[in-house]
């Protein structure tokens, strides 16, 4: 920004003098124009410096008062009057009126030709703007180099701050501080003040896509459009102290580079997360024996955010479907931003909580690895906060807790089933717990490498009979136990003689190696029979 004060401080224009002591020389000058026409209000651009001989006012200077009022109304920087041929001095009434408005009246000496002074001041302004352009490009080039070298956002923000000599803060789409310059570490009380100013500006919709607010303000905020619908924000403080050759363009060029850096970092993280997601999805479909072998490598699991524990519980989370929302760019950005937001929120609750993405169905898998008594309250909290920020709703399906790593896929299955149960009925903003419905589901919780030996040890060759005779014996045993060891009722159900039933039960006891009706073994036999028929390995 070039001011009248800067222009008059240059040796070339040192013979220009201010005629009214209250004139504001800090007014911005963007161009110089010559006029001898009284009615110029509708033909003059803001921040112009008007030069004239005042020939129209040589017999009556009262018209100058009207001219000054009109020029001040359209934010003209000031007026330069050549005092010689037409006007030898400016009347006191004109000076007094200009002082009230703090409107500068500059005396141009007779030695200057109006065309010449217009040319020289315009050249000075152009040269200064050119230098500002070079300065802006230098900042962009330096930040571009840092970007190409893979340096962090934190380092780029700090370098930008040192180049501009002012505090700089970068905020993410959730209005949280992503990075800030050293000024805030030296003056920590300023952090909260800046955040309060930012939130006030946000609430008042005072952040347009390209903020061209006056640099007389203490802060200025720019959108950093790394993402179309979820921008970051750059907040530059103490802008009223910025000095030449600083310009708005310098910040705008920095914003462009920061956008690229944020987008690049986001894509790198997205690619890394995809690998983690794929591993977790594979893990959830693995055979228990393979899961046990994976468990032998804790460092490998740690890389994929899984720790050794005696507690696991899966929660499925998804954004509720909305009518009339078909913008794929918006939906994809929101899905990615929701993942980042959930990650931040869950880490605040417990760093051991892991989060995975399922892009195929746009769901998130939350893995609890320590027991949380209030996990339902966490889900309600997330629903409430998400609505404030994204103006959308979340729903949750919750699986049962398991105590072994090999049982993790079961909790994952339950959480998805609980979510599907509510989602398919059209409900939104729900929190649905999986409810076990039968003994079969309880037996599914037992790892195969423990349940299968129990079946074969208890039933022997009757566990999975191969001959017709063994199948006949097993069927008789099942009906006999179902009838509470009643020979008569069993014979009636099978349409055979009572002695035949007695003979078959005796053969079963020989195979099992123990009496069938003993209280301490009958339950084991019944469970083993049920599992052998219902559970698939």
């Amino acid at each position: 920004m070039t001011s009248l004060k800067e222009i008059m401080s240059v040796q070339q224009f040192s013979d220009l003098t201010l005629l009214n002591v209250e004139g504001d020389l800090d007014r911005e000058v963007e161009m110089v124009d010559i006029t001898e026409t009284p009615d110029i209000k509708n033909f003059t651009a803001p921040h112009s410096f008007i030069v004239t001989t005042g020939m129209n006012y040589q017999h009556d200077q009262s018209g100058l008062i009207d001219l000054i009022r009109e020029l001040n109304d359209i934010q003209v920087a000031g007026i330069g009057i050549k005092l010689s041929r037409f006007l030898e001095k400016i009347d006191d009434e004109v000076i007094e009126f200009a002082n009230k408005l703090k409107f500068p009246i500059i005396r141009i000496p007779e030695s200057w030709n109006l065309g010449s002074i217009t040319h020289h001041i315009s050249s000075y302004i152009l040269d200064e703007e050119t230098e500002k352009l070079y300065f802006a490009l230098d900042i962009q080039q330096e930040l571009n180099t840092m970007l190409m070298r893979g340096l962090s956002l934190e380092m780029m923000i700090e370098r930008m701050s040192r180049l501009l000599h002012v505090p700089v803060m970068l905020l993410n789409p959730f209005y949280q501080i992503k990075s800030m310059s050293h000024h805030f570490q030296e003056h920590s009380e300023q952090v909260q003040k800046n955040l309060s100013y930012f939130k006030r500006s946000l609430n008042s919709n005072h952040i347009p896509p390209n903020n061209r607010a006056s640099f007389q303000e203490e802060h200025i905020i720019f959108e950093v459009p790394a993402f179309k619908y979820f921008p970051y924000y750059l907040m530059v403080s103490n802008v009223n102290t910025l000095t030449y050759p600083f310009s708005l363009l310098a910040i705008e060029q920095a914003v462009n580079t920061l956008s690229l850096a944020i987008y690049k970092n986001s894509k790198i993280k997205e690619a890394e997360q995809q690998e983690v997601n794929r591993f977790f999805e594979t893990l959830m479909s693995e055979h228990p024996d393979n899961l046990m072998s994976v468990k032998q490598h804790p460092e490998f699991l740690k890389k994929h955010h899984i720790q050794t524990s005696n507690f696991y519980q899966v929660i499925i989370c998804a954004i509720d479907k909305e009518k009339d929302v078909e913008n794929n760019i918006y939906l994809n950005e929101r899905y990615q931003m929701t993942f980042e937001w959930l990650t931040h929120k869950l880490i605040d609750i417990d760093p051991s909580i892991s989060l995975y993405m399922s892009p195929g169905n746009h769901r998130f898998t939350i893995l609890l690895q320590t027991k949380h008594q209030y996990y339902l309250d966490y889900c309600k909290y997330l629903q409430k906060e998400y609505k404030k920020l994204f103006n959308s709703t979340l729903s949750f399906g919750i699986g049962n807790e398991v105590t072994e790593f090999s049982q993790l896929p079961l909790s994952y299955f339950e959480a998805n089933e609980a979510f599907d149960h509510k989602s398919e009925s059209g409900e939104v903003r729900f929190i649905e717990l999986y409810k076990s419905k039968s003994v079969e589901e309880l037996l599914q919780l037992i790892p195969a490498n423990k349940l299968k030996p129990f079946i074969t040890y208890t039933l022997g060759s009757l566990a999975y009979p191969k001959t017709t005779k063994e199948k006949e014996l097993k069927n008789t045993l099942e009906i006999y136990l179902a009838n509470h060891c009643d020979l008569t009722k069993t014979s009636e159900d099978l349409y055979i003689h009572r002695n035949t039933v007695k003979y078959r039960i005796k053969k079963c006891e020989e195979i099992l190696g123990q009496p069938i009706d003993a209280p301490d073994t009958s339950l084991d036999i019944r469970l083993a029979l049920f599992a052998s028929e219902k559970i698939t390995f």
Side-chain angles (χ1 to χ4, degrees):
M1 179 182 75
T2 306
S3 65
L4 283 170
K5 183 185 290 185
E6 288 180 41
I7 293 171
M8 294 174 68
S9 67
V10 177
Q11 180 64 33
Q12 185 180 10
F13 309 118
S14 60
D15 52 355
L16 301 180
T17 54
L18 180 65
L19 294 177
N20 57 322
V21 293
E22 297 294 329
D24 180 13
L25 294 180
D26 289 324
R27 295 193 178 201
E28 180 182 0
V29 182
E30 293 182 352
M31 61 179 293
V32 186
D33 199 6
I34 302 174
T35 184
E36 298 293 355
T37 306
D39 184 18
I40 62 171
K41 180 178 180 179
N42 297 323
F43 308 99
T44 302
H47 308 300
S48 299
F49 178 54
I50 302 299
V51 296
T52 181
T53 62
M55 60 181 293
N56 290 302
Y57 309 103
Q58 61 179 323
H59 300 302
D60 181 9
Q61 292 191 25
S62 62
L64 272 174
I65 293 177
D66 293 331
L67 177 65
I68 289 170
R69 180 189 296 108
E70 292 177 348
L71 295 180
N72 186 70
D73 287 344
I74 60 172
Q75 296 182 303
V76 166
I79 186 169
I81 303 177
K82 182 176 180 179
L83 298 181
S84 58
R85 180 178 175 186
F86 300 107
L87 295 177
E88 294 184 358
K89 70 181 292 291
I90 302 299
D91 292 346
D92 291 341
E93 292 80 4
V94 177
I95 297 294
E96 184 179 349
F97 180 77
N99 275 334
K100 288 180 180 178
L101 300 179
K102 295 187 178 182
F103 186 84
I105 301 176
I106 308 298
R107 177 183 176 275
I108 300 174
E110 189 176 356
S111 59
W112 276 103
N113 176 283
L114 290 189
S116 178
I117 196 169
T118 299
H119 170 73
H120 282 86
I121 293 178
S122 296
S123 297
Y124 173 80
I125 294 171
L126 182 61
D127 288 343
E128 189 182 56
E129 292 302 316
T130 301
E131 189 166 349
K132 289 178 182 177
L133 174 61
Y134 284 132
F135 178 69
L137 293 176
D138 285 344
I139 287 182
Q140 185 186 38
Q141 183 60 43
E142 186 161 348
L143 294 180
N144 281 344
T145 301
M146 296 178 76
L147 172 62
M148 297 300 292
R149 290 172 57 193
L151 299 181
S152 67
L153 270 173
E154 288 74 16
M155 295 180 70
M156 295 175 73
I157 290 295
E158 180 60 28
R159 184 55 184 156
M160 178 183 175
S161 170
R162 292 187 181 277
L163 288 169
L164 299 178
H165 306 291
V166 292
V168 178
M169 179 182 286
L170 181 67
L171 298 103
N172 66 19
F174 323 129
Y175 319 138
Q176 300 158 340
I177 297 173
K178 178 72 175 177
S179 178
M180 55 186 175
S181 59
H182 66 279
H183 304 83
F184 297 102
Q185 297 169 354
E186 298 166 359
H187 305 283
S188 57
E189 72 281 356
Q190 292 299 319
V191 174
Q192 199 56 48
K193 289 182 179 179
N194 276 36
L195 283 176
S196 297
Y197 177 89
F198 172 78
K199 289 176 181 177
R200 286 197 304 273
S201 299
L202 198 71
N203 292 334
S204 63
N205 295 318
H206 189 56
I207 308 178
N210 291 302
N211 193 329
R212 295 186 175 273
S214 168
F215 287 151
Q216 299 303 314
E217 298 179 13
E218 184 179 356
H219 310 281
I220 188 168
I221 302 169
F222 294 80
E223 281 192 0
V224 183
F227 302 94
K228 184 175 181 180
Y229 296 98
F230 299 92
Y232 280 65
Y233 299 92
L234 183 71
M235 186 172 181
V236 182
S237 302
N238 300 350
V239 289
N240 50 339
T241 66
L242 289 166
T243 56
Y244 179 85
F246 166 81
S247 71
L248 174 67
L249 183 62
I251 296 184
E252 289 178 334
Q253 297 307 306
V255 164
N256 290 337
T257 303
L258 289 173
S259 293
L260 290 173
I262 293 168
Y263 185 78
K264 170 193 168 187
N265 290 345
S266 173
K267 288 302 176 184
I268 291 173
K269 288 182 179 178
E270 193 176 328
E272 292 172 349
Q273 185 62 39
Q274 283 176 356
E275 179 189 343
V276 174
N277 296 336
R278 282 193 293 268
F279 172 78
F280 186 78
E281 285 189 353
T282 302
L283 202 62
M284 292 304 95
S285 61
E286 284 286 356
H287 189 278
D289 291 340
N290 293 336
L291 289 179
M292 295 302 294
S293 65
V294 171
K295 191 179 178 182
Q296 309 304 318
H297 304 85
E299 289 302 316
F300 184 70
L301 291 177
K302 185 178 179 181
K303 176 185 174 184
H304 296 88
H305 316 311
I306 299 174
Q307 63 185 33
T308 302
S309 174
N310 60 359
F311 177 93
Y312 299 100
Q313 188 171 22
V314 173
I315 299 176
I316 293 297
C317 171
I319 306 166
D320 293 323
K321 293 181 180 178
E322 300 172 86
K323 296 178 181 179
D324 305 323
V325 179
E326 298 180 356
N327 187 326
N328 286 332
I329 296 176
Y330 169 74
L331 292 174
N332 289 334
E333 281 191 9
R334 186 179 65 175
Y335 180 63
Q336 185 65 37
M337 289 297 121
T338 300
F339 176 80
E340 292 187 21
W341 180 81
L342 280 172
T343 301
H344 175 81
K345 288 292 185 183
L346 293 170
I347 287 176
D348 282 349
I349 293 172
D350 178 1
S352 72
I353 297 176
S354 297
L355 185 68
Y356 305 91
M357 305 171 76
S358 300
N361 55 15
H362 277 73
R363 291 183 183 178
F364 308 98
T365 300
I366 300 170
L367 176 60
L368 304 182
Q369 302 183 83
T370 53
K371 193 174 183 65
H372 285 265
Q373 182 179 356
Y374 303 106
Y375 68 91
L376 291 178
D377 292 328
Y378 300 157
C379 293
K380 293 175 184 176
Y381 166 74
L382 291 173
Q383 285 180 328
K384 180 180 176 182
E385 293 300 307
Y386 189 79
K387 179 68 176 177
K388 290 180 187 176
L389 193 61
F390 290 87
N391 196 30
S392 300
T393 56
L394 294 176
S395 289
F396 298 90
I398 301 173
N400 288 310
E401 61 182 73
V402 295
T403 57
E404 294 193 16
F405 177 72
S406 60
Q407 300 168 345
L408 189 55
L410 181 59
S411 184
Y412 177 77
F413 165 80
E414 292 173 346
N416 275 287
E417 187 170 279
F419 188 95
D420 290 338
H421 174 68
K422 283 288 186 179
S423 179
E424 289 170 2
S425 64
E427 295 192 40
V428 296
R429 203 176 185 184
F430 58 79
I431 300 175
E432 179 71 0
L433 282 76
Y434 179 80
K435 301 176 181 65
S436 295
K437 302 178 182 66
S438 64
V439 174
E440 180 180 346
E441 291 170 338
L442 293 175
L443 291 173
Q444 291 281 9
L445 292 170
I446 302 173
N449 60 347
K450 292 186 177 181
L451 183 58
K452 196 170 184 178
F454 165 75
I455 296 171
T456 54
Y457 173 80
T458 304
L459 299 180
S461 61
L462 299 183
Y464 304 102
K466 296 178 181 178
T467 66
T468 302
K469 184 177 180 181
E470 286 175 341
K471 291 177 182 179
E472 188 177 70
L473 289 174
K474 183 176 183 180
N475 182 51
T476 302
L477 178 61
E478 287 175 339
I479 295 175
Y480 179 70
L481 289 172
N483 287 322
H484 307 291
C485 302
D486 187 327
L487 290 171
T488 302
K489 185 71 171 65
T490 304
S491 66
E492 290 174 355
D493 288 346
L494 290 173
Y495 301 104
I496 59 176
H497 196 275
R498 189 173 181 273
N499 289 336
T500 305
V501 174
K502 186 184 292 187
Y503 170 77
R504 290 181 183 179
I505 295 301
K506 186 178 180 181
K507 294 298 293 183
C508 287
E509 288 179 334
E510 291 175 2
I511 294 172
L512 300 179
Q514 55 187 338
I516 291 170
D517 54 358
D520 55 346
T521 60
S522 61
L523 179 60
D524 287 350
I525 296 171
R526 296 186 69 169
L527 284 174
L529 285 168
F530 182 89
S532 69
E533 296 291 331
K534 299 293 184 180
I535 307 301
T536 301
F537 299 99

